[in-house]
Structures are given as structure tokens and as C-alpha cells.
Amino acid sequence: MFANKRTIIIGLDGVPYSLVKDLSARGIMPNMSRLIKDGIFRQMESSIPDISPVAWSSIITGNNPGEHGIYGFMDLVPGTYSLYFPNFTNLHGIPFWNYRNGRKSIIINVPSTYPAGQLNGILISGFVAPDLEKAVYPPSLVNELKRLNYHIDVDSEKGHQSMELFIDDLNRTLEARIETYRYLWDKEDWGLFMLVFTGTDRLEHFLWKAYEDNTHPYHNTFLKYFNTIDEAIGEIAWKTHPEDSLIILSDHGFERMKKTIYINYYLRKTGFLKLKKTPDTSYDDIDEETRAFALEPNRIYVNTATKYPRGSVKEKDKDVIIGDLTDAFNALEVEGEKVIKQVYRKEEIYTGPLLDRAPDLVLISNKGFDLKARLQAEMLTENTIFTGKHTQNDAFLVVKGSEGCYAPENPSVFDVFGILESLG
Amino acid sequence: MERLDELESKSIYIIREAYYYFKDIGALWSIGKDSTALLWLCRKAFFGRIPFPIIHIDTGYKFSQIYSFRDKYSNEWELNLRIVRNEEAIRKGIGPHNNDKLKCCGELKTNALKKLVTEGGYKAILLGIRRDEHGIRAKERYFSPRDLQFAWDYKNQPPELWDQYKSESEDGTHVRVHPLLHWTELDIWNYIKREDIPFIELYRAVDGKRHRSIGCYTCCEAIDSNAKDIDSIVAELQATKTQERTGRSQDKEDAYMMQKLRALGYM
């Protein structure tokens, strides 16, 4: 074992295996191309749901949501219909950097690590982080980050106003993130360095179409962004020592979006969900007659009497309702195409002490259909401004470690923790 | 000294110091329990006659009881009451039904106050916020400077404690003074009881519901409660584990989260 052996992890939020393969082959990501030849390159499965808070919480703890308790960007306070936004303090389980003794860990921009807590090292929280002051440990680093013009995330609202402004912000955010990693890389003596780029996901949400269509006005912008990311990867790889291990990974994949499908609207139309008022509705408007409702993006909850203030479904009837819901989702068709590929019951995909907080069903869609709960929806489908959507089965993993490092043939986000352990 | 006396004397000291030092000051009165207690302390500090304006930011969406309470006691206590509204935003139709909560609050509350501070030449504003109220407020200080953009640069705050508060503020900035920072929700109710301070009826339970924190009717929800008088409110607070602002949908961090998530299609 080398005494100075270090581990470096680079995260590319939402970047699919297929895109890495494609852009590596086309010379747009030449550094990636070299790294995937030298190391292990695998397609990786994301969590269910395939969204950042769930996937990254699984990556950093090695736990499934039944153990770490993060099922989405939002959840209901147990025993109520009140929405809250789980954050790092709600995570059950210990992130891998807390297991490392001795040398410091530098953790930059891992989603769902807000507010920043104490660690032996430095942590800058990722999306969603409302307040930079609370997103940085130790707090003495805040002024330096401000000087570097560090922003936690791209302002995606700009994407709704002007693509030019959005791209400008995307580039500035990336630039400052790169400057920040450079500053911290040299400043500290560390054993673990983790840096996540999240602009990739934001770019893909708005401009996936620009990637696929080479006549799109932002086609080159899209490629240039990935080229810049690749340069940063190359720079980091160049700075590593021969005995260091390097992991590059994403938390989920992406694909072209055909249509957004609003689940709660479908539940209303099929009689499972009844709201006391529309529009301007909230989960507090769920009526007693409701049998099931959805939370973002694709989680289905049976309105059971034991769990909710106006829950009306008795435990003994729950299985029947779940069967009816499954039939209803399997029957959902839009423009002649089946929308739902798979309906999972919670016991099939989750295990652990927090299983009772899990959604009763989670849906996986067929290609191109983007499922959103959207309680306020007044229509079943919509073509939104977004042209890309997440995929569950097409994240990627690159491992370039010392001999004996381990990576399963078909890895999932839950395996990353074990791979890190094998690297020592 | 008894706890309430101690709290009271510290607050009165801060109020008097602020007036002595800044002269051009005003106090914000939302008509809620905290700012009404603040007003009570201001009256005590100046023996019944408050020598500076009392400011009510009127969004137009306040509970009707708020308006009647305001007018009654403003007369009775002979207040120099200034009512501010962001007329321009109201004319443009900005409000809770057309905009998200962050935008609505930003225009009808923050910008209304901004306008008043700039036009009225206030050097300091007294506010009835408390440290235990809300996460973000835990970092507040008794004297909290705001810059020209109204941003709160909480790294550059003058050093506490506040016998050192006389750091000069730049022109065009104002200082927010928080005389109630050290009070808790329970202290406020105990003080209201001891001093027999009038309070708005919305805090009392009707049909099993009462308001614990009030603002605009569009963004406040009553909590389940049977507390019809101060003693039962105090008893309820001693037993509760939920947060004071549970019924207030405009929690800024939550509103921020929603806005960011909505921008990516997740709401």
C-alpha cells in the first residue's frame, strides 16, 4: 500500500453512458476517451426514482432509500399532508468521507449535502442550497468562494427567460467551479477529493435536442460545454499520481423527451385522487375520498387511514387498491403508445428501517415519456420547454484504480461505496 | 432580576440607544404579537409617547382584523403611523393569485419597505424579530446593517456585542435594530400576559383552530388548537414540538427550493 495513495472522484450529473461513449469516439471528449481505455468503463443503473437527491444519497452512503430515507426532492411530513424538502440533516447513513481517518476530504458540489456539516476537511454543498453561508464547511472559506465568484448552481430560471443568459450563467458557474477546485486542490493536503459538475444536467434538461440535432443553433454550444468539462477532467487526471485512484461517474442518464405526463391528473381522471379545490391546490387539499396520490416525480402513495389525517383506505383493502392502480397505469396510453414500462411495489425495490416512508408504488416510463406528479396539472400531457429527461438505466462509471480494484459487471449507484472501500 | 424584567430592560436599552444614536428611525409594526410587544416596549422606553414613526407595510392581503386592530390602537396610543404600499406593483397586478410567493413577498413587502427607507431617509429600522423564530434568523444581530441593494452581508456585520455597535454605516445604507432578538415565543406570551398588552383575536382558538403566526391571509394557515386564552396558549407552547412558523407557507428557504425545483420542472 502506498502511504500517499489518494482517491479522486469526479461526478458528472445526469451524463449518460451513451453520450460519454459517443463524444469520446468523436474527439469531443479526448481525455475521457483515454481514461475509459485505461480503466474500467461501465453502464450503471441509477436509483429509483432516478433523480439527483436519491441517486447521490445512495452513492455517498451505499444505502438504498429504505435505509437512507431520501426518496425525492420533497416529501410529506409523516402523519400530515405538509410538504417539506429533505436535506442533508434528514439523511440516514454516513457518507464515505466520514469513514476516512487521518487525511482530509475535499467535497465540492455533491447534490443534497446542504446544509454543510462538520467533517475532517472541506465541504461545499450542491443543489439545492439556498444560502452559501450554510453551504460551506468550514465557514471561514465563504469569503474566498465569494472572491472566486463561486455559485452553487446555475440559475435555471434563466433558461425560461433567455437561452443566451442561461448559457452565459452555465459557463460562468462552470468556470468558477473549476477555479475553486484548483484553489482547494493545492491549498490542502487531502486523501479524498470529490468534485461534481451539475451544469451537465441543467444543459441536458433544456438542450438535449441540441445534442442530437446538428443543425440546432446551440449544437456547438452543447458540444463545447462537454469539451470544457473534458478539459477539466484531463487536467485533474494529469495532476493525479500513479498510485492514486480515479473514479468518474454520473448519477443517472438522459434521453430525448417526447412528452411530459402528469400523474396526479391521471389519478384524478381515473377517480383515485379527489381534491377539495382546484386550481391553486396543495397536498392539504386532498379529500377523504382519495385512494392514492403522487409525489414528484413518479412516486405513488395509497391514502391509508393509518398514515394520513384524511386517509380512508383500510390496511386490508390496500392490496386491492395497489392492484387497481397497477392496472390503471398499465392501461395508460398517449398517442397510441404505452406510457408506463414498469410499476414497482416498494418491497421490490427498497429495504430497510425507513421502508414505511417509501412510496407504495414507483413508476418507470417508456422511452421519451417524462413522468411528473404535478398536483396542480389541469391536463394529462404537455410539451414543455425541456427537451431532455432522466433515464434510470444509463448512468456511467469509470474506475481507474490500482491493481485488485473491484467493479461489478453491471454496477448500480449502490455499488460505488463498496468500490471505494476496495480502493482503500 | 426576574426573566421578563431582564428581557424588558435589555430591549428598552437597545431601543433608547438606537434612537439616541440614529435619530431618524422608525419601527415596523406588522400588528402581530411580536411587533406589538415591541411597540409596547417603545412606549415604555419613551414614557408613553413614541418619538418616531411606526410603519405598517400593507400588502393589501392582510386579515381584516389586522386593519381594525391597527386603527384602534394607533389612535389610542397616539402613534405617528405611516402606511406603506408598493402601489406600482399593486397596479401591475402583482399578488398571491398571479405570482409565486417569493415574488409576491418581494414586491409587496421588501420593495415597499425599500422604497420607504430610501424616500423617508431612515437610518435605522426597529424590527420585532426573535432569534428562536426561524433558522435564518439565528445569525441576526441586534444591529444588522443592510447595504444599498438591501442585501444582508452577514459576514461583514459589526462585532457584537452592541456596546461596539457604533460602526459607521455607509451612506445610503440602513441598520436594522432587533430589540427582541433574545426573546422566545414563550417569553412574548408571558410578557403579553403580565403587561396585559392587547393582541389580535386571530391568536385565540375558534372551532379548534388558531393562528400562531400571522401575516397575509393568503399565506397563513391556522394550527389545530383549543387555546382560547393566554394561559392555554402558554401551556400549548410549553408542550409543543412543532415550529412556530409551521402555518406560514412563506418560509424563504422553502420558497427558494420551490422556485429552483420548478425551474427544472419538478413541481
Side-chain angles (χ1 to χ4, degrees):
Chain A
M1 273 296 180
F2 294 94
N4 289 325
K5 190 171 151 34
R6 306 176 301 178
T7 302
I8 296 107
I9 305 166
I10 304 171
L12 304 184
D13 198 290
V15 173
Y17 174 82
S18 50
L19 179 142
V20 173
K21 232 172 131 176
D22 175 40
L23 296 189
S24 299
R26 283 162 62 187
I28 290 160
M29 300 188 87
N31 292 297
M32 271 303 257
S33 165
R34 191 166 44 79
L35 289 164
I36 62 183
K37 277 187 201 110
D38 291 355
I40 299 165
F41 179 42
R42 301 250 199 280
Q43 188 175 39
M44 182 162 75
E45 278 220 20
S46 183
S47 56
I48 300 173
D50 48 27
I51 50 173
S52 293
V54 188
W56 286 109
S57 297
S58 306
I59 289 169
I60 65 175
T61 61
N63 292 343
N64 91 90
E67 295 161 315
H68 63 59
I70 306 295
Y71 291 99
F73 278 115
M74 61 209 75
D75 226 315
L76 297 182
V77 176
T80 74
Y81 295 110
S82 305
L83 215 50
Y84 80 106
F85 301 90
N87 66 21
F88 202 27
T89 61
N90 303 102
L91 176 75
H92 292 249
I94 300 165
F96 50 70
W97 52 82
N98 283 356
Y99 286 102
R100 302 178 79 90
N101 296 323
R103 296 171 81 193
K104 287 183 179 171
S105 297
I106 312 292
I107 310 296
I108 307 169
N109 200 36
V110 177
S112 297
T113 56
Y114 177 87
Q118 209 176 340
L119 76 161
N120 175 25
I122 290 171
L123 187 143
I124 307 168
S125 313
F127 190 74
V128 188
D131 181 358
L132 184 66
E133 302 270 337
K134 291 199 264 171
V136 181
Y137 182 87
S140 55
L141 188 64
V142 173
N143 281 339
E144 189 55 31
L145 290 181
K146 283 186 180 165
R147 194 187 64 76
L148 291 166
N149 203 17
Y150 187 85
H151 282 93
I152 290 165
D153 205 73
V154 182
D155 182 3
S156 297
E157 283 161 76
K158 290 206 165 77
H160 298 260
Q161 295 154 10
S162 137
M163 224 17 94
E164 287 299 319
L165 285 179
F166 171 69
I167 288 160
D168 188 48
D169 197 41
L170 204 61
N171 288 328
R172 278 167 204 262
T173 308
L174 177 60
E175 221 169 278
R177 190 120 47 221
I178 291 172
E179 283 303 319
T180 301
Y181 115 72
R182 284 176 184 151
Y183 169 75
L184 294 174
W185 184 284
D186 297 329
K187 183 177 173 277
E188 302 283 343
D189 176 36
W190 45 264
L192 172 72
F193 200 100
M194 182 171 187
L195 167 67
V196 179
F197 293 107
T198 37
T200 44
D201 172 276
R202 314 299 180 255
L203 177 66
E204 291 166 339
H205 271 288
F206 286 97
L207 288 175
W208 183 266
K209 194 178 170 189
Y211 162 54
E212 292 188 344
D213 172 4
N214 60 14
T215 65
H216 194 283
Y218 292 109
H219 181 66
N220 287 331
T221 306
F222 188 99
L223 298 184
K224 178 79 191 68
Y225 190 81
F226 276 85
N227 182 252
T228 309
I229 297 267
D230 184 71
E231 279 173 14
I233 292 170
E235 183 181 285
I236 292 171
W238 179 75
K239 287 185 191 189
T240 57
H241 305 150
E243 66 272 22
D244 291 343
S245 303
L246 176 63
I247 290 185
I248 310 174
L249 79 172
S250 65
D251 59 331
H252 56 79
F254 245 91
E255 68 181 9
R256 179 70 183 272
M257 151 117 83
K258 269 195 307 218
K259 260 193 166 36
T260 301
I261 310 291
Y262 296 123
I263 308 290
N264 275 318
Y265 183 82
Y266 186 62
L267 289 173
R268 274 167 65 192
K269 290 298 134 183
T270 45
F272 288 99
L273 171 60
K274 192 157 184 289
L275 296 167
K276 285 191 273 186
K277 73 170 169 59
T278 55
D280 271 342
T281 188
S282 77
Y283 287 93
D284 277 314
D285 298 314
I286 286 177
D287 189 90
E288 273 180 5
E289 287 173 41
T290 294
R291 287 177 290 153
F293 58 88
L295 284 181
E296 296 295 349
N298 52 2
R299 294 173 285 163
I300 314 297
Y301 296 78
V302 177
N303 192 31
T304 48
T306 48
K307 276 197 177 172
Y308 300 102
R310 285 182 302 284
S312 52
V313 177
K314 297 195 181 83
E315 280 302 319
K316 66 175 174 58
D317 301 328
K318 203 173 154 183
D319 269 345
V320 178
I321 305 278
I322 285 177
D324 293 348
L325 282 163
T326 308
D327 292 345
F329 287 124
N330 283 332
L332 174 56
E333 285 189 8
V334 168
E335 292 166 9
E337 272 188 82
K338 271 179 69 108
V339 172
I340 305 297
K341 184 172 156 194
Q342 181 104 38
V343 182
Y344 284 111
R345 291 182 68 137
K346 68 174 176 185
E347 296 81 5
E348 296 176 78
I349 46 176
Y350 303 129
T351 167
L354 300 171
L355 185 65
D356 67 322
R357 293 197 204 162
D360 294 297
L361 297 173
V362 187
L363 312 174
I364 302 283
S365 63
N366 279 315
K367 201 168 164 49
F369 289 114
D370 185 36
L371 306 180
K372 288 279 151 47
R374 180 69 67 83
L375 192 68
Q376 292 82 8
E378 289 298 331
M379 61 196 106
L380 178 63
T381 72
E382 193 179 12
N383 294 319
T384 66
I385 188 168
F386 306 110
T387 63
K389 63 165 282 284
H390 294 193
T391 56
Q392 197 269 327
N393 61 353
D394 197 29
F396 79 91
L397 174 70
V398 175
V399 184
K400 196 175 161 298
S402 45
E403 268 177 55
C405 93
Y406 142 94
E409 273 308 308
N410 299 302
S412 77
V413 289
F414 308 107
D415 297 320
V416 176
F417 189 92
I419 295 168
L420 279 165
E421 275 188 328
S422 80
L423 294 172
Chain B
M1 217 180 346
E2 206 242 327
R3 176 169 173 85
L4 289 179
D5 291 329
E6 210 174 303
L7 293 169
E8 179 186 67
S9 79
K10 191 169 185 182
S11 298
I12 288 178
Y13 182 54
I14 294 170
I15 292 164
R16 286 178 179 156
E17 284 292 293
Y19 179 63
Y20 163 78
Y21 185 69
F22 296 106
K23 282 289 179 297
D24 297 322
I25 69 170
L28 284 196
W29 186 28
S30 72
I31 333 290
K33 63 185 190 313
D34 299 321
S35 61
T36 305
L38 173 66
L39 215 60
W40 189 264
L41 289 159
C42 290
R43 293 179 69 229
K44 276 199 157 181
F46 301 103
F47 310 102
R49 285 293 292 267
I50 303 175
F52 46 79
I54 301 301
I55 303 153
H56 180 229
I57 301 175
D58 182 12
T59 60
Y61 295 96
K62 299 290 173 191
F63 290 98
S64 62
Q65 294 93 323
I66 287 183
Y67 297 110
S68 48
F69 188 95
R70 176 190 75 190
D71 296 341
K72 176 167 186 248
Y73 288 99
S74 155
N75 266 330
E76 200 166 298
W77 294 338
E78 297 175 62
L79 304 177
N80 175 5
L81 183 71
R82 305 266 165 89
I83 297 165
V84 275
R85 290 161 65 102
N86 185 350
E87 295 293 353
E88 203 185 318
I90 293 167
R91 260 201 312 279
K92 281 187 198 151
I94 289 168
H97 307 302
N98 299 327
N99 300 91
D100 65 62
K101 286 171 172 137
L102 214 55
K103 171 92 173 162
C104 183
C105 257
E107 286 292 336
L108 300 186
K109 279 164 79 172
T110 313
N111 285 344
L113 177 63
K114 207 186 264 192
K115 204 162 168 272
L116 175 94
V117 169
T118 331
E119 287 170 8
Y122 292 95
K123 293 202 177 68
I125 300 287
L126 307 184
L127 287 95
I129 72 165
R130 292 177 290 103
R131 202 166 255 153
D132 76 326
E133 209 174 337
H134 188 281
I136 188 90
R137 296 188 171 173
K139 285 193 178 163
E140 280 286 9
R141 302 208 169 164
Y142 292 102
F143 291 84
S144 171
R146 303 287 158 140
D147 65 14
L148 284 162
Q149 274 73 48
F150 245 55
W152 170 29
D153 183 2
Y154 45 111
K155 269 303 195 192
N156 277 328
Q157 298 193 90
E160 266 324 33
L161 244 174
W162 56 288
D163 47 349
Q164 299 175 355
Y165 73 94
K166 285 176 197 160
S167 58
E168 296 294 329
S169 16
E170 278 177 64
D171 276 354
T173 65
H174 74 283
V175 173
R176 296 199 179 181
V177 183
H178 306 128
L180 299 184
L181 205 56
H182 52 299
W183 295 58
T184 65
E185 187 183 11
L186 200 55
D187 292 330
I188 295 284
W189 281 111
N190 281 325
Y191 189 66
I192 288 173
K193 186 183 171 193
R194 186 183 89 171
E195 302 282 307
D196 198 17
I197 304 172
F199 62 91
I200 195 157
E201 289 297 306
L202 292 165
Y203 289 113
R204 290 185 207 272
V206 180
D207 299 331
K209 292 261 182 198
R210 76 173 192 90
H211 286 271
R212 193 168 158 193
S213 175
I214 60 165
C216 295
Y217 65 81
T218 46
C219 290
C220 286
E221 225 166 285
I223 56 161
D224 291 329
S225 167
N226 289 314
K228 292 197 172 73
D229 54 45
I230 296 188
D231 286 330
S232 12
I233 290 174
V234 167
E236 180 190 284
L237 291 178
Q238 279 165 338
T240 186
K241 285 194 182 68
T242 60
Q243 285 177 356
E244 180 177 4
R245 292 171 77 88
T246 301
R248 295 288 289 265
S249 54
Q250 213 273 330
D251 256 355
K252 284 211 173 125
E253 286 210 355
D254 279 6
Y256 176 94
M257 299 270 196
M258 276 189 233
Q259 199 174 48
K260 295 295 155 190
L261 292 174
R262 197 175 296 129
L264 285 172
Y266 295 110
M267 284 303 271

